[in-house]
Amino acid sequence: MDPLAFVDEELEALKARGLFRWLRCMEGPHGPVMMVDGRRAVVLASSNYLGLSTHPRVVGAAVEAAVRYGCSVGASRLIAGNHELYAQLEDRLAALKGTEAALVFSTGYMANLGVLGALAGPDDVIFSDALNHASIIDGIRLSRAGVVVFPHSDPAGLEDLLRAHQHRRRRIVVVDGVFSMDGDIAPLPDLLAVARRWGALVVVDDAHGTGTCGPGGAGALAASGLRGAADLEVGTLGKALGSFGAFVAGSRKLIGLVINKARSFIFTCGLPPSALAAASAALDVLRDEPDLPVRLMDNARQVRETLGRAGFDLSPSTTHILPLHVGDSRRTMALCERLLDAGVFAQGIRYPTVPEGTERLRLTPMATHTADHLAAACRTIVECGAALGLPAARATPRASSR
Ligand SMILES: *Cc1c(COP(=O)(O)O)cnc(C)c1O
C-alpha cells in the first residue's frame, strides 16, 4: 500500500469540488497592467492598492537600506536583530494610528497569531466576527481560548453573547476593520460601545483599511472617528504600504506584553532593512501625496457604478474591495479564466476563503489605474459575465463555518 496515496486522493477531491488551487505567474513590475500566465491583463487582483511597491521613493529607500545595511538584520529582534530602522518605522506607525506605541511583526498573519495568543489563554473567550480573516481564526485556535463566533457586523448579537459569557476571565472582541473579501467596514462605534459596556478588550485587524481609508489613510477606526480607540490594532505593511511585514499598534503597556508573550514575534528573524526602510518611505509618500487614497476610492466608485449600471450587485462594499458575486466555485473560476483570456485579471475567491455559496471575483482597483483601464476592464467583465449568464440573482450563503 502506497503511504502517499492520500495526496492524489485529496487533490482529486478538491478538483472534483472546483476548489483546486494553483500558482499563477506574474511578470514585470507589480502594477495596474501586467503579464499574468503569459497574457497581458489589467490587474484587478492586487493588494498594492496605492501602487507604492513601485513608487520611486519607496524603491529608492529599499535599495539604499540594502546597500548601507545589507540584506538581513541578522537575528530575531530580541537577540541582535532590532535594527535602528525599527524604531523609526514604529514611531511613524504609532503616529499614523494615534497610539502610544507600535510593534512591527514579520507578517500580518503572524501578528494576529501573536497578539491573540498574548492576550488570551484557556480561561478566556474570544468573540470573533463570522467573516474574520483566516489568520484571526488560526490565532484564536492557537491561543486555546474559547471562541464565540458572532453574526457578521451585528453589535446586538455580540452583546447577547457577551452577556452570556460575562463570567469568563477575559473577553476579547476581534474584527476586521475593512472586511477582506466583502469590502464593508465593521460598525466600529457600536462594536466598541458594546465591548466597553461588558468590559471586553477590542482588537481590530485593519489590514485593508491601513493606507486606504480614513483621514490620511489612517484606517477604518479613523474613518469612524475612533482613531486609536481599539486596545490593539493590527495592520500590514505588505498591502497598501507596498512593502512587507506588519504591525500592531496600541498602548505602551499592551505592546510590552506582546513583546514578552507573542511567540510569533519572539521566535522568528527580523525583517530585512530594505522592507523596513521601504515601509517608512511609504508612510512619507502617504503623507506627501494625500491624493493617493482619494484616487483609489474614486477608481473604486467608477467600477462600482459602471458594473452597477450593468446590473451587478457589488454590495456590501463601501470601499476599494468589490465582490462580484457568482455563487458557485466552478462558474467563478470559469469567469476568471475567460476574463484573463480577454485581458482582465480578477482572482476567483472560493471556500474556505469565503463561505460556500458566496463564491465571487474580488475586484480591487488601484490608485494607479487610469479611467480608460477601468472602463475597458468593466466592458470586458460585462461581456464575459453575459456569456456565463451573469449578473445572476444573489445566492444566499449556506454554512459560514470555515
Ligand atoms: C492579508 C491579511 C492579513 C495578513 O497580512 P500579511 O501581512 O499578508 O500576512 C491579516 N488580516 C487580514 C484581514 C488580511 O486581509
Side-chain angles (χ1 to χ4, degrees), residues 113-121 143 170 254 257-259 261-263:
L113 299 192
V115 162
L116 295 172
L119 291 179
S143 78
R170 286 178 213 144
L254 274 174
L257 180 79
V258 173
I259 291 173
K261 294 203 68 178
R263 293 168 64 86

Side-chain angles (χ1 to χ4, degrees), residues 21-376:
R21 298 182 187 226
W22 69 97
L23 290 165
R24 296 193 188 277
C25 178
M26 312 286 296
E27 291 172 64
H30 195 98
V33 180
M34 295 179 73
M35 293 295 288
V36 185
D37 282 350
R39 287 160 282 186
R40 190 180 147 80
V42 175
V43 176
L44 293 178
S46 173
S47 294
N48 178 25
Y49 300 125
L50 303 178
L52 291 181
S53 84
T54 55
H55 192 288
R57 283 176 69 188
V58 176
V59 175
V63 170
E64 193 197 321
V67 169
R68 194 189 278 197
Y69 302 118
C71 291
S72 163
V73 296
S76 69
R77 290 186 67 186
L78 284 163
I79 306 286
N82 193 39
H83 194 273
E84 61 180 309
L85 287 169
Y86 271 110
Q88 293 169 26
L89 174 57
E90 286 169 350
D91 286 349
R92 282 177 160 92
L93 289 166
L96 179 74
K97 294 297 184 180
T99 57
E100 284 177 0
L103 184 72
V104 169
F105 271 75
S106 293
T107 69
Y109 188 97
M110 293 165 75
N112 279 329
L113 299 192
V115 162
L116 295 172
L119 291 179
D123 294 336
D124 307 315
V125 59
I126 300 179
F127 298 83
S128 176
D129 186 286
L131 295 186
N132 274 348
H133 190 259
S135 56
I136 296 176
I137 296 171
D138 293 357
I140 296 171
R141 288 180 181 153
L142 206 53
S143 78
R144 293 183 290 155
V147 56
V148 173
V149 176
F150 66 91
H152 176 56
S153 289
D154 179 358
L158 171 62
E159 180 145 37
D160 290 342
L161 293 164
L162 279 164
R163 188 181 293 116
H165 292 84
Q166 59 184 301
H167 302 299
R168 297 297 281 262
R169 184 179 69 165
R170 286 178 213 144
R171 289 147 313 249
I172 295 142
V173 175
V174 56
V175 293
D176 282 18
V178 173
F179 281 87
S180 56
M181 295 299 141
D182 289 278
D184 52 331
I185 298 182
L188 294 165
D190 290 345
L191 290 173
L192 255 97
V194 166
R196 295 302 178 224
R197 201 143 58 230
W198 293 93
L201 297 178
V202 176
V203 177
V204 175
D205 174 3
D206 207 14
H208 297 281
T210 299
T212 64
C213 292
L221 278 160
S224 314
L226 291 168
R227 197 160 155 274
D231 293 290
L232 287 174
E233 179 174 351
V234 172
T236 180
L237 308 174
K239 290 173 180 160
L241 296 178
S243 178
F244 184 74
F247 64 94
V248 53
S251 67
R252 232 171 251 121
K253 195 196 272 248
L254 274 174
I255 295 295
L257 180 79
V258 173
I259 291 173
N260 278 276
K261 294 203 68 178
R263 293 168 64 86
S264 62
F265 175 81
I266 299 170
F267 297 105
T268 194
C269 281
L271 291 175
S274 54
L276 298 169
S280 277
L283 292 170
D284 291 344
V285 174
L286 194 60
R287 177 198 60 211
D288 296 342
E289 300 183 31
D291 194 38
L292 281 173
V294 177
R295 286 218 301 270
L296 173 65
M297 292 302 166
D298 284 348
N299 282 351
R301 189 172 317 115
Q302 182 188 340
V303 173
R304 187 185 289 109
E305 289 175 1
T306 308
L307 292 178
R309 279 195 296 275
F312 286 96
D313 169 17
L314 304 187
S315 68
S317 169
T318 55
T319 65
H320 57 295
I321 297 171
L322 302 164
L324 187 127
H325 299 281
V326 180
D328 167 272
S329 50
R330 290 172 187 293
R331 216 148 58 120
T332 298
M333 295 321 286
L335 179 57
C336 179
E337 273 327 294
R338 192 181 276 260
L339 281 174
L340 194 46
D341 285 335
V344 174
F345 179 38
Q347 185 62 291
I349 307 288
R350 297 165 286 171
Y351 177 85
T353 308
V354 295
E356 283 182 278
T358 71
E359 293 81 0
R360 80 279 308 265
L361 296 185
R362 176 179 182 271
L363 311 177
T364 50
M366 300 167 67
T368 45
H369 280 118
T370 64
D372 285 348
H373 286 143
L374 296 176

